[in-house]
Amino acid sequence: MLQRDQFTDQAINVVNQSFRLAYELHHSFVGSEHILWSLSRDYAGAASDSLRAFGMDETLLREM
């Protein structure tokens, strides 16, 4: 079983935000699209920097 102390606060925030996004969209699952969207909102992370470097942002990911 995974323990909370195995993850950074930033990782936990991304996962929690993914759950909120899925809930707001009335989805019954959390998929890769929710995680990517959450990562794009995490402006302090390397994943967000990489997504932006390839032209991906929150608006574009939502449209996709």
Side-chain angles (χ1 to χ4, degrees):
M1 176 164 266
L2 298 175
Q3 300 295 318
R4 180 167 165 65
D5 62 348
Q6 291 176 302
F7 299 96
T8 64
D9 289 339
Q10 188 174 11
I12 292 167
N13 289 337
V14 167
V15 171
N16 287 334
Q17 189 170 31
S18 298
F19 276 95
R20 280 193 300 274
L21 287 168
Y23 176 80
E24 289 169 9
L25 294 169
H26 305 286
H27 294 169
S28 60
F29 62 93
V30 174
S32 57
E33 64 272 24
H34 304 106
I35 296 169
L36 279 173
W37 197 4
S38 295
L39 286 169
S40 74
R41 289 179 160 188
D42 179 25
Y43 298 108
S48 177
D49 292 343
S50 296
L51 288 169
R52 281 195 301 277
F54 285 98
M56 304 298 275
D57 62 11
E58 182 181 348
T59 304
L60 180 61
L61 288 167
R62 184 177 190 122
E63 290 173 4
M64 294 173 75

